[in-house]
Amino acid sequence: MLSREASVRIIGSAPSPNAALPMLSACQTDAVVVAGENEMSTAAFGQLLATYPDLPVICADLSRDVVQVITSHRIGTRASDLLAAVAELPKRRS
């Protein structure tokens, strides 16, 4: 599906985050797409986001009509920065 889209360039596929890391370091990609959200653990997302904090990870499970974008943002180390980040969190739906 994505390979037929003119505005999308696929750089490769990898069976695991560890296998993807060398490809990501070799080219400047705009996002990582993970097909089948259950294929990667939360720890794997953490590893990708820690290595590339500005790189969005798009998790797509089209069999369940679910797409989720996971991003990471670094903040300062002062307590006031942490409190400001907490204050800016979106409100949770009940």
Side-chain angles (χ1 to χ4, degrees):
M1 175 178 83
L2 290 174
S3 63
R4 293 186 303 258
E5 183 64 36
S7 64
V8 175
R9 186 174 69 117
I10 307 295
I11 61 161
S13 64
S16 71
N18 285 337
L21 289 174
M23 280 191 288
L24 294 173
S25 66
C27 62
Q28 279 200 271
T29 179
D30 294 324
V32 171
V33 177
V34 177
E37 182 178 345
N38 295 330
E39 298 297 319
M40 290 180 64
S41 68
T42 304
F45 291 128
Q47 179 183 6
L48 277 173
L49 294 170
T51 305
Y52 299 99
D54 297 325
L55 183 66
V57 177
I58 302 169
C59 304
D61 187 345
L62 300 180
S63 66
R64 297 185 317 158
D65 293 332
V66 173
V67 174
Q68 181 180 19
V69 179
I70 301 171
T71 61
S72 174
H73 301 283
R74 294 183 191 261
I75 61 171
T77 57
R78 297 176 302 200
S80 60
D81 293 330
L82 175 59
L83 294 173
V86 169
E88 294 295 321
L89 290 172
K91 302 297 180 215
R92 293 185 62 168
R93 295 182 211 160
S94 40

Coordinates of all heavy atoms in Angstrom, one line a residue:
M1 N 0.8 -1.2 0.0 CA 0.0 0.0 0.0 C 0.9 1.3 0.0 O 0.7 2.1 -0.8 CB -0.9 0.0 1.2 CG -1.7 1.2 1.3 SD -2.9 1.2 2.7 CE -1.8 1.7 4.1
L2 N 1.8 1.4 0.9 CA 2.7 2.6 1.0 C 3.6 2.7 -0.2 O 3.9 3.8 -0.7 CB 3.5 2.6 2.3 CG 2.7 2.8 3.6 CD1 3.6 2.6 4.8 CD2 2.0 4.1 3.6
S3 N 4.1 1.5 -0.7 CA 5.0 1.6 -1.8 C 4.4 2.1 -3.1 O 5.1 2.6 -4.0 CB 5.6 0.2 -2.1 OG 4.6 -0.7 -2.4
R4 N 3.0 2.1 -3.2 CA 2.4 2.6 -4.4 C 2.1 4.1 -4.3 O 1.7 4.8 -5.2 CB 1.0 1.9 -4.6 CG 1.2 0.4 -4.9 CD -0.1 -0.2 -5.3 NE -1.1 -0.1 -4.2 CZ -1.4 -1.1 -3.4 NH1 -0.8 -2.3 -3.5 NH2 -2.3 -0.9 -2.5
E5 N 2.3 4.7 -3.1 CA 2.1 6.1 -2.9 C 3.3 6.9 -3.3 O 4.4 6.7 -2.9 CB 1.8 6.4 -1.4 CG 1.5 7.8 -1.0 CD 0.2 8.3 -1.7 OE1 -0.7 7.5 -1.8 OE2 0.2 9.5 -2.0
A6 N 3.1 7.9 -4.2 CA 4.2 8.6 -4.8 C 5.0 9.5 -3.8 O 6.2 9.7 -3.9 CB 3.7 9.5 -5.9
S7 N 4.3 9.9 -2.7 CA 4.9 10.8 -1.8 C 5.6 10.0 -0.7 O 6.2 10.6 0.3 CB 3.9 11.7 -1.1 OG 2.9 11.0 -0.4
V8 N 5.6 8.7 -0.7 CA 6.3 7.9 0.3 C 7.4 7.1 -0.3 O 7.2 6.5 -1.4 CB 5.2 6.9 0.9 CG1 5.9 5.9 1.9 CG2 4.1 7.7 1.6
R9 N 8.5 7.1 0.3 CA 9.7 6.3 -0.1 C 10.0 5.3 1.0 O 10.3 5.6 2.1 CB 10.9 7.2 -0.4 CG 12.0 6.4 -1.0 CD 13.1 7.3 -1.4 NE 13.8 7.9 -0.2 CZ 15.0 7.7 0.1 NH1 15.8 7.0 -0.7 NH2 15.5 8.2 1.2
I10 N 10.0 4.0 0.6 CA 10.3 2.9 1.6 C 11.8 2.7 1.5 O 12.3 2.5 0.4 CB 9.5 1.6 1.2 CG1 8.0 1.9 1.1 CG2 9.8 0.5 2.2 CD1 7.3 2.3 2.4
I11 N 12.4 2.7 2.7 CA 13.9 2.5 2.7 C 14.3 1.1 3.0 O 15.4 0.7 2.8 CB 14.6 3.5 3.6 CG1 14.1 3.3 5.1 CG2 14.4 4.9 3.2 CD1 15.1 3.8 6.1
G12 N 13.3 0.3 3.5 CA 13.6 -1.1 3.8 C 12.7 -1.6 4.9 O 11.8 -0.9 5.4
S13 N 12.9 -2.9 5.2 CA 12.1 -3.5 6.3 C 13.1 -4.3 7.2 O 14.2 -4.6 6.7 CB 11.1 -4.5 5.7 OG 11.7 -5.5 5.0
A14 N 12.7 -4.5 8.4 CA 13.5 -5.1 9.4 C 12.7 -6.0 10.3 O 11.6 -5.6 10.6 CB 14.3 -4.1 10.2
P15 N 13.2 -7.2 10.7 CA 12.4 -8.0 11.5 C 12.4 -7.6 13.0 O 11.6 -8.1 13.8 CB 13.1 -9.4 11.4 CG 14.5 -9.0 11.0 CD 14.4 -7.8 10.2
S16 N 13.3 -6.7 13.4 CA 13.3 -6.2 14.8 C 13.9 -4.8 14.8 O 14.6 -4.4 13.9 CB 14.2 -7.2 15.6 OG 15.6 -7.0 15.2
P17 N 13.7 -4.1 15.9 CA 14.3 -2.8 16.1 C 15.8 -2.8 16.0 O 16.4 -1.9 15.4 CB 13.9 -2.4 17.5 CG 12.7 -3.2 17.8 CD 12.9 -4.5 17.1
N18 N 16.5 -3.8 16.6 CA 17.9 -3.9 16.5 C 18.4 -4.0 15.0 O 19.4 -3.4 14.7 CB 18.4 -5.1 17.2 CG 18.4 -4.9 18.7 OD1 18.4 -3.8 19.2 ND2 18.3 -6.0 19.5
A19 N 17.6 -4.7 14.2 CA 18.0 -4.8 12.8 C 17.7 -3.5 12.0 O 18.4 -3.2 11.1 CB 17.2 -6.0 12.1
A20 N 16.8 -2.7 12.5 CA 16.4 -1.5 11.9 C 17.4 -0.3 12.2 O 17.5 0.6 11.4 CB 15.0 -1.0 12.3
L21 N 18.0 -0.4 13.3 CA 18.9 0.7 13.8 C 20.0 1.1 12.8 O 20.2 2.2 12.5 CB 19.4 0.4 15.2 CG 18.4 0.5 16.3 CD1 19.1 0.1 17.6 CD2 17.8 1.9 16.4
P22 N 20.7 0.1 12.2 CA 21.7 0.4 11.2 C 21.1 1.1 10.0 O 21.7 2.1 9.4 CB 22.3 -0.9 10.8 CG 22.1 -1.8 11.9 CD 20.7 -1.3 12.5
M23 N 19.9 0.7 9.5 CA 19.3 1.3 8.4 C 18.9 2.8 8.7 O 19.1 3.7 7.9 CB 18.0 0.6 8.0 CG 18.3 -0.7 7.2 SD 16.8 -1.3 6.5 CE 16.0 -2.0 7.9
L24 N 18.4 3.0 9.9 CA 18.0 4.3 10.3 C 19.2 5.3 10.4 O 19.1 6.5 10.1 CB 17.3 4.3 11.6 CG 15.9 3.6 11.6 CD1 15.4 3.5 13.0 CD2 15.0 4.3 10.7
S25 N 20.4 4.8 10.8 CA 21.5 5.6 10.9 C 22.1 5.9 9.6 O 22.8 6.9 9.4 CB 22.6 5.0 11.8 OG 23.1 3.8 11.3
A26 N 21.9 5.1 8.6 CA 22.4 5.3 7.2 C 21.6 6.3 6.4 O 22.2 6.8 5.4 CB 22.5 3.9 6.5
C27 N 20.4 6.5 6.8 CA 19.6 7.5 6.0 C 18.8 8.3 6.9 O 18.5 8.0 8.0 CB 18.7 6.7 5.0 SG 17.5 5.7 5.8
Q28 N 18.3 9.5 6.4 CA 17.5 10.4 7.2 C 16.1 10.1 6.9 O 15.6 10.6 5.8 CB 17.9 11.8 7.0 CG 19.1 12.2 7.8 CD 19.2 13.7 8.0 OE1 19.8 14.3 7.1 NE2 18.6 14.2 9.0
T29 N 15.4 9.4 7.7 CA 14.0 9.1 7.5 C 13.1 10.0 8.3 O 13.5 10.5 9.3 CB 13.7 7.6 7.8 OG1 12.4 7.3 7.6 CG2 14.1 7.3 9.2
D30 N 11.9 10.2 7.8 CA 10.9 11.0 8.5 C 10.1 10.3 9.5 O 9.6 10.9 10.5 CB 9.9 11.6 7.4 CG 10.6 12.6 6.5 OD1 11.6 13.3 6.9 OD2 10.2 12.6 5.3
A31 N 10.0 9.0 9.4 CA 9.2 8.2 10.4 C 9.5 6.7 10.2 O 10.1 6.3 9.2 CB 7.7 8.4 10.2
V32 N 9.2 6.0 11.2 CA 9.3 4.5 11.2 C 7.9 4.0 11.2 O 7.1 4.4 12.1 CB 10.1 4.0 12.4 CG1 10.0 2.4 12.5 CG2 11.5 4.4 12.3
V33 N 7.5 3.1 10.3 CA 6.2 2.5 10.3 C 6.3 1.1 10.7 O 7.1 0.3 10.2 CB 5.6 2.6 8.9 CG1 4.2 1.9 8.9 CG2 5.4 4.0 8.4
V34 N 5.5 0.7 11.8 CA 5.5 -0.6 12.3 C 4.2 -1.2 11.9 O 3.1 -0.7 12.4 CB 5.7 -0.6 13.8 CG1 5.6 -2.1 14.3 CG2 7.0 0.0 14.2
A35 N 4.2 -2.2 11.0 CA 3.0 -2.9 10.6 C 2.7 -4.0 11.6 O 3.5 -4.8 11.9 CB 3.1 -3.4 9.2
G36 N 1.5 -4.0 12.1 CA 1.1 -5.0 13.2 C 1.7 -4.5 14.5 O 2.7 -4.9 14.9
E37 N 0.9 -3.7 15.2 CA 1.4 -3.1 16.4 C 1.8 -4.1 17.5 O 2.7 -3.8 18.2 CB 0.2 -2.2 17.0 CG 0.5 -1.5 18.3 CD -0.6 -0.7 18.8 OE1 -1.6 -0.5 18.0 OE2 -0.6 -0.3 19.9
N38 N 1.2 -5.2 17.5 CA 1.6 -6.3 18.5 C 2.9 -6.9 18.2 O 3.4 -7.7 18.9 CB 0.5 -7.3 18.6 CG -0.8 -6.7 19.1 OD1 -0.8 -5.8 19.9 ND2 -1.9 -7.3 18.6
E39 N 3.5 -6.6 17.0 CA 4.8 -7.2 16.6 C 6.0 -6.7 17.4 O 7.0 -7.4 17.5 CB 5.1 -7.0 15.1 CG 4.0 -7.6 14.2 CD 4.0 -9.1 14.3 OE1 5.0 -9.7 14.4 OE2 2.9 -9.6 14.3
M40 N 5.8 -5.5 18.0 CA 6.9 -4.9 18.8 C 6.5 -4.7 20.2 O 5.4 -4.3 20.5 CB 7.4 -3.6 18.1 CG 8.1 -3.8 16.8 SD 8.6 -2.2 16.1 CE 9.8 -1.6 17.3
S41 N 7.4 -4.9 21.1 CA 7.1 -4.7 22.5 C 7.3 -3.2 22.9 O 7.9 -2.5 22.1 CB 8.0 -5.5 23.4 OG 9.4 -5.1 23.3
T42 N 6.8 -2.8 24.0 CA 7.0 -1.5 24.5 C 8.5 -1.2 24.7 O 8.9 -0.1 24.4 CB 6.3 -1.3 25.8 OG1 4.9 -1.6 25.7 CG2 6.4 0.1 26.4
A43 N 9.3 -2.1 25.1 CA 10.7 -1.9 25.2 C 11.4 -1.6 23.9 O 12.3 -0.8 23.8 CB 11.4 -3.2 25.8
A44 N 10.9 -2.2 22.8 CA 11.4 -2.0 21.5 C 11.1 -0.5 21.1 O 12.0 0.1 20.5 CB 10.8 -2.9 20.5
F45 N 9.9 0.0 21.3 CA 9.6 1.4 21.0 C 10.5 2.3 21.8 O 11.0 3.3 21.3 CB 8.2 1.7 21.4 CG 7.2 1.1 20.5 CD1 6.1 0.3 21.0 CD2 7.3 1.2 19.1 CE1 5.2 -0.2 20.2 CE2 6.3 0.6 18.3 CZ 5.3 -0.1 18.8
G46 N 10.8 2.0 23.1 CA 11.6 2.8 23.9 C 13.0 2.8 23.4 O 13.7 3.9 23.4
Q47 N 13.5 1.7 22.9 CA 14.9 1.7 22.3 C 15.0 2.6 21.0 O 15.9 3.4 20.9 CB 15.3 0.3 21.9 CG 16.6 0.2 21.3 CD 16.9 -1.3 20.9 OE1 16.1 -2.2 21.0 NE2 18.2 -1.5 20.5
L48 N 14.0 2.5 20.2 CA 13.9 3.4 19.0 C 13.8 4.8 19.4 O 14.6 5.7 18.8 CB 12.7 3.0 18.1 CG 12.9 1.8 17.1 CD1 11.6 1.5 16.5 CD2 13.9 2.1 16.1
L49 N 13.0 5.2 20.3 CA 12.8 6.5 20.7 C 14.0 7.1 21.5 O 14.3 8.3 21.3 CB 11.5 6.7 21.5 CG 10.2 6.4 20.7 CD1 9.0 6.3 21.7 CD2 10.0 7.4 19.7
A50 N 14.6 6.3 22.2 CA 15.8 6.7 22.9 C 17.0 7.0 21.9 O 17.7 8.0 22.1 CB 16.3 5.7 24.0
T51 N 17.1 6.2 20.9 CA 18.2 6.4 19.9 C 17.8 7.5 19.0 O 18.7 8.3 18.6 CB 18.4 5.1 19.1 OG1 18.6 4.0 20.0 CG2 19.6 5.2 18.2
Y52 N 16.6 7.7 18.6 CA 16.1 8.7 17.7 C 14.9 9.4 18.3 O 13.8 9.2 17.9 CB 15.7 8.1 16.3 CG 16.9 7.4 15.6 CD1 17.1 6.1 15.7 CD2 17.8 8.2 14.9 CE1 18.2 5.4 15.1 CE2 18.9 7.6 14.3 CZ 19.1 6.2 14.4 OH 20.1 5.6 13.8
P53 N 15.1 10.3 19.2 CA 14.0 10.9 20.0 C 13.1 11.8 19.1 O 12.0 12.0 19.5 CB 14.7 11.8 21.1 CG 16.1 12.0 20.6 CD 16.4 10.8 19.7
D54 N 13.6 12.3 18.0 CA 12.8 13.2 17.1 C 12.1 12.4 16.0 O 11.5 13.0 15.1 CB 13.6 14.3 16.6 CG 14.1 15.2 17.6 OD1 13.4 15.4 18.6 OD2 15.3 15.7 17.5
L55 N 12.2 11.1 16.0 CA 11.7 10.3 14.9 C 10.3 9.6 15.3 O 10.3 8.8 16.3 CB 12.7 9.2 14.6 CG 12.3 8.2 13.4 CD1 12.3 9.0 12.1 CD2 13.3 7.1 13.3
P56 N 9.2 10.0 14.7 CA 7.9 9.4 15.1 C 7.9 7.9 14.7 O 8.5 7.5 13.6 CB 6.9 10.2 14.2 CG 7.6 11.4 13.7 CD 9.1 11.0 13.7
V57 N 7.3 7.1 15.5 CA 7.0 5.7 15.2 C 5.5 5.6 15.0 O 4.7 5.9 15.9 CB 7.5 4.8 16.4 CG1 7.2 3.4 16.1 CG2 9.0 5.0 16.7
I58 N 5.2 5.2 13.8 CA 3.8 5.0 13.4 C 3.4 3.5 13.5 O 4.0 2.7 12.8 CB 3.5 5.6 12.0 CG1 3.9 7.0 12.0 CG2 2.0 5.4 11.7 CD1 3.9 7.6 10.6
C59 N 2.6 3.2 14.4 CA 2.2 1.8 14.6 C 0.8 1.6 13.9 O -0.1 2.3 14.2 CB 2.0 1.4 16.1 SG 3.5 1.7 17.0
A60 N 0.8 0.7 12.9 CA -0.4 0.5 12.1 C -0.8 -1.0 12.2 O -0.1 -1.9 11.8 CB -0.2 0.9 10.7
D61 N -2.0 -1.2 12.7 CA -2.6 -2.5 12.6 C -3.9 -2.4 11.9 O -5.0 -2.1 12.4 CB -2.9 -3.0 14.1 CG -3.4 -4.5 14.1 OD1 -3.8 -5.0 13.0 OD2 -3.4 -5.1 15.2
L62 N -3.8 -2.5 10.5 CA -4.9 -2.2 9.7 C -6.0 -3.3 9.8 O -7.2 -3.0 9.4 CB -4.5 -2.1 8.2 CG -3.4 -0.9 8.0 CD1 -3.0 -0.8 6.6 CD2 -4.0 0.4 8.5
S63 N -5.7 -4.5 10.3 CA -6.7 -5.5 10.5 C -7.7 -5.0 11.6 O -8.8 -5.5 11.6 CB -6.1 -6.8 10.8 OG -5.5 -6.8 12.1
R64 N -7.3 -4.2 12.5 CA -8.1 -3.6 13.6 C -8.5 -2.2 13.4 O -9.0 -1.5 14.2 CB -7.5 -3.8 14.9 CG -7.2 -5.2 15.3 CD -6.7 -5.4 16.7 NE -5.7 -4.4 17.0 CZ -5.3 -4.0 18.2 NH1 -5.9 -4.5 19.2 NH2 -4.4 -3.1 18.4
D65 N -8.1 -1.6 12.2 CA -8.3 -0.2 11.9 C -7.7 0.7 13.0 O -8.4 1.6 13.5 CB -9.8 0.1 11.8 CG -10.4 -0.5 10.5 OD1 -9.6 -0.7 9.5 OD2 -11.6 -0.8 10.5
V66 N -6.5 0.4 13.4 CA -5.8 1.2 14.4 C -4.5 1.7 13.9 O -3.7 1.0 13.3 CB -5.5 0.3 15.7 CG1 -4.6 1.0 16.7 CG2 -6.7 -0.2 16.3
V67 N -4.3 3.0 14.1 CA -3.0 3.7 13.7 C -2.7 4.6 14.9 O -3.5 5.4 15.4 CB -3.1 4.5 12.4 CG1 -1.8 5.3 12.2 CG2 -3.4 3.7 11.2
Q68 N -1.5 4.4 15.4 CA -1.0 5.2 16.6 C 0.4 5.8 16.3 O 1.2 5.1 15.7 CB -0.9 4.3 17.8 CG -0.5 5.1 19.1 CD -0.4 4.1 20.3 OE1 -0.3 2.9 20.1 NE2 -0.4 4.7 21.4
V69 N 0.5 7.1 16.6 CA 1.8 7.8 16.4 C 2.5 8.0 17.8 O 1.8 8.5 18.6 CB 1.7 9.1 15.7 CG1 3.0 9.8 15.5 CG2 1.0 8.9 14.3
I70 N 3.7 7.4 17.9 CA 4.4 7.5 19.2 C 5.6 8.4 18.9 O 6.4 8.2 18.0 CB 4.8 6.2 19.7 CG1 3.6 5.3 19.9 CG2 5.6 6.3 21.0 CD1 4.0 3.8 20.1
T71 N 5.7 9.5 19.8 CA 6.9 10.4 19.7 C 7.5 10.5 21.0 O 7.0 10.2 22.1 CB 6.4 11.8 19.2 OG1 5.5 12.3 20.1 CG2 5.8 11.7 17.8
S72 N 8.7 11.1 21.0 CA 9.5 11.3 22.2 C 10.1 12.8 22.1 O 10.5 13.2 21.1 CB 10.6 10.3 22.3 OG 11.5 10.6 23.4
H73 N 10.0 13.5 23.2 CA 10.6 14.8 23.3 C 11.4 14.9 24.5 O 11.0 14.6 25.6 CB 9.5 15.9 23.3 CG 8.6 15.8 22.2 ND1 8.9 16.3 20.9 CD2 7.3 15.2 22.0 CE1 7.9 16.0 20.1 NE2 7.0 15.4 20.7
R74 N 12.6 15.4 24.4 CA 13.5 15.6 25.5 C 13.2 16.9 26.2 O 12.9 17.9 25.5 CB 15.0 15.6 25.1 CG 15.4 14.2 24.5 CD 16.9 14.3 24.2 NE 17.2 13.1 23.5 CZ 17.8 12.0 24.0 NH1 18.1 12.0 25.3 NH2 18.1 10.9 23.3
I75 N 13.2 16.9 27.5 CA 13.0 18.2 28.2 C 14.2 18.4 29.1 O 15.1 17.5 29.3 CB 11.7 18.1 29.1 CG1 11.8 17.0 30.1 CG2 10.5 17.9 28.2 CD1 10.7 17.0 31.1
G76 N 14.3 19.6 29.6 CA 15.4 20.0 30.5 C 15.4 19.2 31.8 O 14.4 18.4 32.1
T77 N 16.4 19.3 32.6 CA 16.5 18.5 33.8 C 16.1 19.2 35.1 O 16.2 18.7 36.1 CB 18.0 18.0 34.0 OG1 18.8 19.2 34.0 CG2 18.4 17.1 32.8
R78 N 15.7 20.5 34.9 CA 15.3 21.2 36.1 C 13.9 20.8 36.5 O 13.0 20.4 35.7 CB 15.2 22.7 35.8 CG 16.6 23.3 35.5 CD 16.5 24.7 35.1 NE 15.5 24.8 34.0 CZ 15.4 25.8 33.2 NH1 16.2 26.9 33.3 NH2 14.6 25.8 32.2
A79 N 13.6 20.8 37.8 CA 12.3 20.4 38.3 C 11.2 21.3 37.7 O 10.1 20.7 37.4 CB 12.2 20.6 39.9
S80 N 11.4 22.5 37.4 CA 10.4 23.4 36.8 C 10.0 22.9 35.4 O 8.9 23.0 35.0 CB 10.8 24.9 36.8 OG 12.0 25.0 36.1
D81 N 11.0 22.4 34.7 CA 10.8 21.9 33.4 C 9.9 20.6 33.4 O 9.0 20.5 32.6 CB 12.1 21.5 32.6 CG 12.9 22.7 32.3 OD1 12.4 23.8 32.1 OD2 14.2 22.6 32.3
L82 N 10.2 19.8 34.4 CA 9.3 18.6 34.6 C 7.9 18.9 34.9 O 7.0 18.4 34.4 CB 9.9 17.7 35.6 CG 9.1 16.4 36.0 CD1 8.9 15.5 34.8 CD2 9.8 15.6 37.1
L83 N 7.8 19.9 35.8 CA 6.4 20.3 36.2 C 5.7 21.0 35.1 O 4.5 20.7 34.9 CB 6.5 21.3 37.4 CG 7.0 20.6 38.7 CD1 7.2 21.7 39.8 CD2 6.1 19.6 39.2
A84 N 6.4 21.7 34.2 CA 5.7 22.3 33.1 C 5.3 21.3 32.1 O 4.2 21.4 31.5 CB 6.7 23.3 32.4
A85 N 6.1 20.2 31.9 CA 5.8 19.2 31.0 C 4.5 18.4 31.5 O 3.7 18.1 30.7 CB 6.9 18.2 30.8
V86 N 4.5 18.2 32.8 CA 3.3 17.5 33.3 C 2.1 18.4 33.2 O 1.0 17.9 32.8 CB 3.6 17.1 34.8 CG1 2.3 16.7 35.5 CG2 4.7 16.1 34.9
A87 N 2.2 19.6 33.4 CA 1.1 20.5 33.2 C 0.5 20.6 31.8 O -0.6 20.8 31.6 CB 1.4 21.9 33.7
E88 N 1.4 20.4 30.8 CA 1.0 20.4 29.4 C 0.5 19.1 28.9 O 0.1 19.1 27.7 CB 2.2 20.9 28.6 CG 2.7 22.3 28.8 CD 1.6 23.3 28.5 OE1 1.0 23.1 27.4 OE2 1.4 24.3 29.2
L89 N 0.5 18.1 29.7 CA 0.0 16.8 29.2 C -1.5 16.9 28.8 O -2.3 17.6 29.5 CB 0.1 15.7 30.2 CG 1.5 15.2 30.6 CD1 1.5 14.3 31.7 CD2 2.1 14.6 29.3
P90 N -1.9 16.3 27.7 CA -3.3 16.3 27.3 C -4.2 15.7 28.4 O -3.7 14.7 29.1 CB -3.4 15.6 26.0 CG -2.1 15.0 25.8 CD -1.1 15.5 26.8
K91 N -5.4 16.2 28.6 CA -6.3 15.6 29.5 C -6.8 14.2 29.1 O -7.0 14.0 27.9 CB -7.6 16.5 29.7 CG -7.2 17.9 30.2 CD -6.6 17.9 31.5 CE -6.2 19.3 31.9 NZ -5.0 19.4 32.7
R92 N -6.8 13.3 30.0 CA -7.2 11.9 29.7 C -8.7 11.8 29.6 O -9.5 12.5 30.3 CB -6.7 10.9 30.7 CG -5.2 10.8 30.7 CD -4.8 9.8 31.7 NE -5.3 8.5 31.2 CZ -4.9 7.3 31.7 NH1 -4.0 7.3 32.7 NH2 -5.4 6.2 31.3
R93 N -9.2 11.0 28.6 CA -10.6 10.8 28.5 C -11.0 9.8 29.6 O -10.3 8.9 29.9 CB -11.0 10.2 27.2 CG -10.7 11.1 26.1 CD -11.1 10.5 24.7 NE -10.2 10.9 23.7 CZ -9.9 10.3 22.6 NH1 -10.5 9.2 22.3 NH2 -9.1 10.9 21.7
S94 N -12.2 10.1 30.2 CA -12.6 9.1 31.2 C -13.5 8.0 30.7 O -13.9 8.0 29.6 CB -13.4 9.9 32.3 OG -14.2 10.9 31.8

